[in-house]
Amino acid sequence: MWARSVPEADRCRSVWSSPHRDRQTAARGSSKSRNHPDEGSGTVHGMTIAVLMCALLIVILLLGQAGISMHRAAKAADLAALAAADTARDLASGVPCDVARAVAQENGAVMDHCDLVSPEQTTVDVRTSIALFGPLEPLGPAIGISRAGPPPGEP
């Protein structure tokens, strides 16, 4: 057995415990009775960071949606101006601004302005808009502006 007599309580101690450590714990009291004002603060900080990251993600997604709407409005203006310019040059039938309005509507935009530019009346300026919804509504509509006409040197 044992070379020397060891009390029963000492034999049951874990390898890592020591009498010195046990005395320190007894002097301080149990860990449940200690008063730590910052106990659990890591959880609060972690949750705060998680909420801030979610809010940042929402802001980024909303700005991305606004950017997509701007591109859609610009695309609609470009296509409407090209269609109106072709009509103004008699490459397609119809009234230039009516054709531009129809093309803008097909692309989900509203045509705000259409103007045939002098002197040849073959260049067209078009302005389209797409309304923003939800929290982006105070920013106003997404606007696209475009000009199209014949290449330089052609009538």
Side-chain angles (χ1 to χ4, degrees), residues 54-125:
C54 288
L56 181 64
L57 178 64
I58 289 171
V59 168
I60 289 171
L61 290 175
L62 288 173
L63 290 176
Q65 184 64 34
I68 290 170
S69 295
M70 292 292 290
H71 286 285
R72 285 182 52 215
K75 177 190 73 162
D78 289 343
L79 293 174
L82 288 170
D86 284 348
T87 305
R89 293 179 60 205
D90 292 327
L91 299 175
S93 62
V95 178
C97 288
D98 291 342
V99 171
R101 180 173 280 104
V103 170
Q105 286 176 348
E106 288 174 8
N107 285 284
V110 176
M111 188 179 73
D112 298 331
H113 177 74
C114 177
D115 189 31
L116 292 172
V117 179
S118 297
E120 297 91 19
Q121 300 288 317
T122 57
T123 301
V124 182
D125 288 338

Side-chain angles (χ1 to χ4, degrees), residues 5-23:
S5 176
V6 178
E8 186 67 33
D10 288 342
R11 278 191 228 147
C12 295
R13 286 193 187 142
S14 70
V15 176
W16 302 107
S17 68
S18 71
H20 179 68
R21 189 174 292 158
D22 291 341
R23 274 187 254 120

Side-chain angles (χ1 to χ4, degrees), residues 24-34:
Q24 286 178 340
T25 304
R28 285 188 301 215
S30 68
S31 63
K32 292 180 183 176
S33 67
R34 289 185 293 194

